[in-house]
Tab-separated table of all heavy atoms in Angstrom:
chain	number	residue	atom	x	y	z
A	64	LYS	N	2.501	42.350	206.104
A	64	LYS	CA	2.732	40.840	205.957
A	64	LYS	C	2.848	40.435	204.519
A	64	LYS	O	2.101	40.863	203.678
A	64	LYS	CB	1.581	40.259	206.615
A	64	LYS	CG	1.616	38.785	207.011
A	64	LYS	CD	0.472	38.311	207.823
A	64	LYS	CE	0.358	39.102	209.103
A	64	LYS	NZ	-0.827	38.617	209.894
A	65	GLY	N	3.936	39.608	204.326
A	65	GLY	CA	4.030	39.236	202.900
A	65	GLY	C	5.020	40.053	202.127
A	65	GLY	O	5.415	39.615	201.084
A	66	ARG	N	5.298	41.238	202.752
A	66	ARG	CA	6.300	42.144	201.976
A	66	ARG	C	7.511	42.285	202.731
A	66	ARG	O	8.672	42.526	202.227
A	66	ARG	CB	5.676	43.401	201.773
A	66	ARG	CG	4.406	43.381	200.954
A	66	ARG	CD	3.922	44.955	200.613
A	66	ARG	NE	3.394	45.500	201.762
A	66	ARG	CZ	4.024	46.657	202.140
A	66	ARG	NH1	4.958	47.412	201.316
A	66	ARG	NH2	3.617	47.383	203.243
A	67	PHE	N	7.455	42.256	204.025
A	67	PHE	CA	8.534	42.532	204.864
A	67	PHE	C	8.920	41.269	205.694
A	67	PHE	O	8.173	40.429	205.931
A	67	PHE	CB	8.230	43.538	206.090
A	67	PHE	CG	8.130	44.896	205.560
A	67	PHE	CD1	7.941	45.282	204.265
A	67	PHE	CD2	8.029	45.974	206.484
A	67	PHE	CE1	7.817	46.640	203.751
A	67	PHE	CE2	7.780	47.291	206.141
A	67	PHE	CZ	7.657	47.536	204.724
A	68	THR	N	10.295	41.079	205.967
A	68	THR	CA	10.786	39.843	206.649
A	68	THR	C	11.821	40.327	207.637
A	68	THR	O	12.707	41.158	207.482
A	68	THR	CB	11.573	38.922	205.631
A	68	THR	OG1	10.579	38.457	204.589
A	68	THR	CG2	11.943	37.797	206.446
A	69	ILE	N	11.532	39.948	209.016
A	69	ILE	CA	12.471	40.246	209.992
A	69	ILE	C	13.327	38.912	210.344
A	69	ILE	O	12.741	37.900	210.219
A	69	ILE	CB	11.807	40.754	211.294
A	69	ILE	CG1	12.725	41.275	212.357
A	69	ILE	CG2	10.763	39.730	211.812
A	69	ILE	CD1	11.971	41.840	213.566
A	70	PHE	N	14.626	39.160	210.480
A	70	PHE	CA	15.454	38.083	210.740
A	70	PHE	C	16.700	38.399	211.495
A	70	PHE	O	16.945	39.700	211.538
A	70	PHE	CB	15.838	37.323	209.424
A	70	PHE	CG	16.628	38.167	208.506
A	70	PHE	CD1	17.899	38.221	208.458
A	70	PHE	CD2	15.916	39.042	207.590
A	70	PHE	CE1	18.637	38.945	207.623
A	70	PHE	CE2	16.510	39.869	206.715
A	70	PHE	CZ	17.992	39.784	206.623
A	71	ARG	N	17.292	37.495	212.211
A	71	ARG	CA	18.532	37.811	212.987
A	71	ARG	C	19.700	37.282	212.123
A	71	ARG	O	19.637	36.190	211.495
A	71	ARG	CB	18.479	36.906	214.268
A	71	ARG	CG	17.485	37.393	215.262
A	71	ARG	CD	17.557	36.765	216.505
A	71	ARG	NE	16.488	37.104	217.493
A	71	ARG	CZ	16.727	38.086	218.401
A	71	ARG	NH1	17.763	38.757	218.322
A	71	ARG	NH2	15.745	38.332	219.177
A	72	ASP	N	20.775	38.097	212.162
A	72	ASP	CA	22.102	37.695	211.605
A	72	ASP	C	22.982	37.576	212.785
A	72	ASP	O	23.361	38.599	213.330
A	72	ASP	CB	22.582	38.853	210.679
A	72	ASP	CG	23.843	38.453	209.928
A	72	ASP	OD1	24.659	37.676	210.549
A	72	ASP	OD2	24.052	38.813	208.792
A	73	LYS	N	23.128	36.469	213.256
A	73	LYS	CA	23.752	36.091	214.594
A	73	LYS	C	25.308	36.431	214.391
A	73	LYS	O	26.125	36.553	215.350
A	73	LYS	CB	23.554	34.754	214.981
A	73	LYS	CG	22.079	34.488	215.364
A	73	LYS	CD	21.696	33.143	215.956
A	73	LYS	CE	20.311	33.113	216.323
A	73	LYS	NZ	19.892	31.765	216.915
A	74	VAL	N	25.808	36.239	213.171
A	74	VAL	CA	27.258	36.502	212.915
A	74	VAL	C	27.519	38.024	213.106
A	74	VAL	O	28.476	38.408	213.899
A	74	VAL	CB	27.694	36.103	211.562
A	74	VAL	CG1	29.140	36.581	211.264
A	74	VAL	CG2	27.537	34.596	211.428
A	75	LYS	N	26.695	38.837	212.596
A	75	LYS	CA	26.780	40.253	212.700
A	75	LYS	C	26.309	40.844	213.849
A	75	LYS	O	26.476	42.095	214.263
A	75	LYS	CB	26.177	40.972	211.416
A	75	LYS	CG	26.848	40.625	210.080
A	75	LYS	CD	26.141	41.363	208.990
A	75	LYS	CE	26.665	41.061	207.675
A	75	LYS	NZ	25.897	41.748	206.567
A	76	ASN	N	25.408	40.094	214.702
A	76	ASN	CA	24.672	40.520	215.807
A	76	ASN	C	23.780	41.702	215.574
A	76	ASN	O	23.836	42.755	216.119
A	76	ASN	CB	25.726	41.056	216.938
A	76	ASN	CG	25.073	41.160	218.303
A	76	ASN	OD1	24.008	40.607	218.543
A	76	ASN	ND2	25.523	42.270	219.029
A	77	THR	N	23.030	41.513	214.444
A	77	THR	CA	22.032	42.469	214.045
A	77	THR	C	20.794	41.787	213.899
A	77	THR	O	20.599	40.557	213.809
A	77	THR	CB	22.427	43.049	212.774
A	77	THR	OG1	22.399	42.062	211.652
A	77	THR	CG2	23.696	43.715	212.713
A	78	VAL	N	19.735	42.652	213.879
A	78	VAL	CA	18.314	42.185	213.493
A	78	VAL	C	17.848	43.087	212.421
A	78	VAL	O	17.823	44.336	212.373
A	78	VAL	CB	17.308	42.334	214.626
A	78	VAL	CG1	15.990	42.090	214.242
A	78	VAL	CG2	17.720	41.498	215.714
A	79	ASP	N	17.604	42.457	211.373
A	79	ASP	CA	17.376	43.118	209.946
A	79	ASP	C	16.010	43.061	209.677
A	79	ASP	O	15.224	42.143	209.953
A	79	ASP	CB	18.322	42.473	208.860
A	79	ASP	CG	19.715	42.714	209.073
A	79	ASP	OD1	20.049	43.457	210.132
A	79	ASP	OD2	20.437	42.301	208.267
A	80	LEU	N	15.504	44.003	208.836
A	80	LEU	CA	14.320	44.092	208.243
A	80	LEU	C	14.380	44.158	206.687
A	80	LEU	O	14.693	45.253	206.330
A	80	LEU	CB	13.329	45.294	208.852
A	80	LEU	CG	11.956	45.282	208.482
A	80	LEU	CD1	11.146	44.149	209.007
A	80	LEU	CD2	11.315	46.571	208.857
A	81	GLN	N	13.970	43.154	206.101
A	81	GLN	CA	13.956	43.159	204.583
A	81	GLN	C	12.702	43.640	204.154
A	81	GLN	O	11.619	43.059	204.470
A	81	GLN	CB	14.318	41.712	203.994
A	81	GLN	CG	14.291	41.785	202.403
A	81	GLN	CD	15.349	42.674	201.783
A	81	GLN	OE1	16.574	42.663	202.257
A	81	GLN	NE2	14.947	43.411	200.825
A	82	MET	N	12.632	44.768	203.422
A	82	MET	CA	11.364	45.334	202.977
A	82	MET	C	11.248	45.301	201.432
A	82	MET	O	12.072	45.941	200.707
A	82	MET	CB	11.231	46.833	203.435
A	82	MET	CG	11.464	47.076	204.945
A	82	MET	SD	11.266	48.650	205.551
A	82	MET	CE	12.575	49.509	204.740
A	83	ASN	N	10.387	44.584	200.935
A	83	ASN	CA	10.034	44.523	199.476
A	83	ASN	C	8.737	45.041	199.156
A	83	ASN	O	7.961	45.319	200.014
A	83	ASN	CB	10.183	43.049	199.049
A	83	ASN	CG	11.451	42.369	199.406
A	83	ASN	OD1	12.527	42.998	199.272
A	83	ASN	ND2	11.533	41.049	199.669
A	84	SER	N	8.502	45.392	197.786
A	84	SER	CA	7.359	45.930	197.420
A	84	SER	C	6.832	47.036	198.152
A	84	SER	O	5.829	47.181	198.518
A	84	SER	CB	6.329	44.823	197.384
A	84	SER	OG	6.649	43.609	196.590
A	85	LEU	N	7.838	48.022	198.290
A	85	LEU	CA	7.503	49.146	199.168
A	85	LEU	C	6.517	50.081	198.511
A	85	LEU	O	6.423	50.097	197.338
A	85	LEU	CB	8.745	49.899	199.425
A	85	LEU	CG	9.729	49.382	200.502
A	85	LEU	CD1	11.169	49.788	200.366
A	85	LEU	CD2	9.142	49.589	201.794
A	86	LYS	N	5.688	50.583	199.400
A	86	LYS	CA	4.545	51.462	198.997
A	86	LYS	C	4.841	52.886	199.526
A	86	LYS	O	5.416	52.985	200.687
A	86	LYS	CB	3.253	50.974	199.512
A	86	LYS	CG	2.861	49.604	199.124
A	86	LYS	CD	1.695	49.154	199.715
A	86	LYS	CE	1.387	47.598	199.291
A	86	LYS	NZ	0.072	47.136	199.993
A	87	PRO	N	4.234	53.928	198.994
A	87	PRO	CA	4.384	55.240	199.615
A	87	PRO	C	3.988	55.305	201.014
A	87	PRO	O	4.493	56.032	201.773
A	87	PRO	CB	3.504	56.050	198.707
A	87	PRO	CG	3.542	55.393	197.339
A	87	PRO	CD	3.597	53.971	197.631
A	88	GLU	N	2.883	54.541	201.340
A	88	GLU	CA	2.450	54.591	202.731
A	88	GLU	C	3.332	53.952	203.746
A	88	GLU	O	3.105	53.915	205.021
A	88	GLU	CB	1.049	53.927	202.843
A	88	GLU	CG	0.954	52.533	202.263
A	88	GLU	CD	0.381	52.526	200.896
A	88	GLU	OE1	0.850	53.504	199.973
A	88	GLU	OE2	-0.398	51.782	200.500
A	89	ASP	N	4.602	53.283	203.261
A	89	ASP	CA	5.492	52.734	204.068
A	89	ASP	C	6.518	53.919	204.471
A	89	ASP	O	7.365	53.647	205.251
A	89	ASP	CB	6.414	51.724	203.402
A	89	ASP	CG	5.433	50.487	203.128
A	89	ASP	OD1	4.661	50.072	204.027
A	89	ASP	OD2	5.650	49.912	202.005
A	90	THR	N	6.315	55.031	204.004
A	90	THR	CA	7.253	56.191	204.359
A	90	THR	C	7.117	56.473	205.831
A	90	THR	O	6.047	56.824	206.285
A	90	THR	CB	6.906	57.401	203.550
A	90	THR	OG1	7.263	57.178	202.240
A	90	THR	CG2	7.736	58.625	203.998
A	91	ALA	N	8.178	56.383	206.520
A	91	ALA	CA	8.302	56.704	207.929
A	91	ALA	C	9.716	56.640	208.484
A	91	ALA	O	10.558	56.154	207.757
A	91	ALA	CB	7.275	55.659	208.736
A	92	VAL	N	9.872	57.014	209.763
A	92	VAL	CA	11.047	56.794	210.448
A	92	VAL	C	10.872	55.354	211.156
A	92	VAL	O	9.918	55.273	211.710
A	92	VAL	CB	11.381	57.870	211.510
A	92	VAL	CG1	12.591	57.516	212.284
A	92	VAL	CG2	11.551	59.289	210.746
A	93	TYR	N	11.834	54.592	210.859
A	93	TYR	CA	11.717	53.251	211.396
A	93	TYR	C	12.733	52.998	212.489
A	93	TYR	O	13.879	53.522	212.495
A	93	TYR	CB	12.171	52.174	210.354
A	93	TYR	CG	11.107	52.064	209.358
A	93	TYR	CD1	10.742	52.933	208.399
A	93	TYR	CD2	10.496	50.736	209.133
A	93	TYR	CE1	9.665	52.818	207.555
A	93	TYR	CE2	9.341	50.644	208.424
A	93	TYR	CZ	8.985	51.679	207.395
A	93	TYR	OH	8.031	51.298	206.573
A	94	TYR	N	12.172	52.506	213.639
A	94	TYR	CA	13.004	52.409	214.817
A	94	TYR	C	13.049	50.831	215.236
A	94	TYR	O	11.992	49.988	214.976
A	94	TYR	CB	12.320	52.988	215.969
A	94	TYR	CG	12.090	54.425	215.777
A	94	TYR	CD1	10.941	55.012	215.300
A	94	TYR	CD2	13.137	55.495	216.374
A	94	TYR	CE1	10.825	56.360	215.050
A	94	TYR	CE2	12.904	56.814	216.270
A	94	TYR	CZ	11.722	57.292	215.606
A	94	TYR	OH	11.569	58.682	215.478
A	95	CYS	N	14.275	50.479	215.680
A	95	CYS	CA	14.316	49.060	216.320
A	95	CYS	C	14.273	49.216	217.775
A	95	CYS	O	14.553	50.184	218.257
A	95	CYS	CB	15.692	48.281	215.822
A	95	CYS	SG	17.161	49.138	216.265
A	96	ALA	N	13.811	48.153	218.482
A	96	ALA	CA	13.632	48.206	219.891
A	96	ALA	C	13.843	46.740	220.516
A	96	ALA	O	13.762	45.751	219.796
A	96	ALA	CB	12.160	48.620	220.238
A	97	ALA	N	14.251	46.803	221.672
A	97	ALA	CA	14.644	45.481	222.389
A	97	ALA	C	13.821	45.379	223.589
A	97	ALA	O	13.815	46.329	224.484
A	97	ALA	CB	16.107	45.414	222.663
A	98	ASP	N	13.375	44.125	223.828
A	98	ASP	CA	12.580	43.838	225.131
A	98	ASP	C	13.407	42.919	225.875
A	98	ASP	O	13.848	41.783	225.521
A	98	ASP	CB	11.281	43.283	224.701
A	98	ASP	CG	10.516	42.737	225.958
A	98	ASP	OD1	10.947	42.886	227.142
A	98	ASP	OD2	9.419	42.172	225.761
A	99	GLN	N	13.898	43.444	227.077
A	99	GLN	CA	14.928	42.690	227.852
A	99	GLN	C	14.228	41.667	228.867
A	99	GLN	O	14.937	40.919	229.574
A	99	GLN	CB	15.794	43.638	228.620
A	99	GLN	CG	15.063	44.315	229.768
A	99	GLN	CD	16.042	45.175	230.482
A	99	GLN	OE1	17.309	45.041	230.362
A	99	GLN	NE2	15.598	46.026	231.442
A	100	THR	N	12.862	41.719	228.973
A	100	THR	CA	12.175	40.875	229.909
A	100	THR	C	12.363	39.344	229.639
A	100	THR	O	12.134	38.905	228.434
A	100	THR	CB	10.709	41.057	229.910
A	100	THR	OG1	10.549	42.416	230.188
A	100	THR	CG2	10.083	40.261	230.995
A	101	LEU	N	12.995	38.643	230.484
A	101	LEU	CA	13.354	37.217	230.376
A	101	LEU	C	11.917	36.354	230.093
A	101	LEU	O	11.019	36.461	230.779
A	101	LEU	CB	14.024	36.600	231.479
A	101	LEU	CG	14.605	35.356	231.472
A	101	LEU	CD1	15.756	35.317	230.336
A	101	LEU	CD2	15.129	34.808	232.792
A	102	GLY	N	12.072	35.737	229.002
A	102	GLY	CA	10.981	34.792	228.726
A	102	GLY	C	9.682	35.508	228.023
A	102	GLY	O	8.653	34.858	227.786
A	103	SER	N	9.827	36.721	227.639
A	103	SER	CA	8.805	37.522	227.141
A	103	SER	C	8.510	37.048	225.648
A	103	SER	O	9.395	36.502	225.017
A	103	SER	CB	9.101	39.002	227.018
A	103	SER	OG	10.191	39.223	226.226
A	104	SER	N	7.243	37.273	225.226
A	104	SER	CA	6.868	36.930	223.825
A	104	SER	C	6.935	38.246	223.032
A	104	SER	O	7.100	39.308	223.636
A	104	SER	CB	5.554	36.250	223.829
A	104	SER	OG	4.562	37.195	224.401
A	105	ILE	N	6.780	38.034	221.710
A	105	ILE	CA	6.730	39.229	220.891
A	105	ILE	C	5.563	40.096	221.144
A	105	ILE	O	4.361	39.387	221.268
A	105	ILE	CB	6.684	38.714	219.368
A	105	ILE	CG1	7.894	37.858	219.081
A	105	ILE	CG2	6.699	40.002	218.390
A	105	ILE	CD1	7.829	37.134	217.764
A	106	ASP	N	5.741	41.412	221.289
A	106	ASP	CA	4.590	42.173	221.650
A	106	ASP	C	4.601	43.403	220.707
A	106	ASP	O	5.619	43.882	220.484
A	106	ASP	CB	4.815	42.644	223.066
A	106	ASP	CG	3.472	43.084	223.746
A	106	ASP	OD1	2.651	43.914	223.045
A	106	ASP	OD2	3.113	42.665	224.854
A	107	SER	N	3.351	43.759	220.275
A	107	SER	CA	3.204	44.818	219.400
A	107	SER	C	3.112	46.145	220.134
A	107	SER	O	2.950	47.213	219.576
A	107	SER	CB	1.993	44.711	218.500
A	107	SER	OG	0.826	44.535	219.268
A	108	ASP	N	3.087	46.072	221.426
A	108	ASP	CA	2.915	47.330	222.303
A	108	ASP	C	4.372	47.945	222.548
A	108	ASP	O	5.182	47.234	223.244
A	108	ASP	CB	2.289	46.903	223.631
A	108	ASP	CG	1.863	48.284	224.505
A	108	ASP	OD1	2.647	49.306	224.086
A	108	ASP	OD2	1.192	48.162	225.408
A	109	GLY	N	4.647	49.008	222.046
A	109	GLY	CA	5.959	49.610	222.183
A	109	GLY	C	6.392	49.896	223.508
A	109	GLY	O	7.549	49.888	223.874
A	110	ARG	N	5.433	50.049	224.476
A	110	ARG	CA	5.691	50.252	225.902
A	110	ARG	C	6.413	49.035	226.667
A	110	ARG	O	6.949	49.202	227.597
A	110	ARG	CB	4.428	50.564	226.614
A	110	ARG	CG	3.740	51.920	226.194
A	110	ARG	CD	2.416	52.073	226.828
A	110	ARG	NE	1.385	51.110	226.455
A	110	ARG	CZ	0.251	51.097	226.771
A	110	ARG	NH1	-0.192	52.139	227.598
A	110	ARG	NH2	-0.664	50.131	226.316
Side-chain angles (χ1 to χ4, degrees):
K64 202 172 294 182
R66 299 188 296 123
F67 291 11
T68 303
I69 186 172
F70 59 97
R71 294 184 179 272
D72 187 325
K73 295 184 179 180
V74 174
K75 296 181 181 178
N76 191 32
T77 62
V78 174
D79 292 358
L80 184 69
Q81 177 65 44
M82 306 187 296
N83 298 327
S84 302
L85 283 161
K86 304 175 181 179
E88 50 263 45
D89 294 318
T90 295
V92 177
Y93 284 70
Y94 301 89
C95 60
D98 176 359
Q99 68 175 352
T100 304
L101 191 64
S103 65
S104 57
I105 302 168
D106 201 312
S107 60
D108 186 346
R110 294 171 295 180

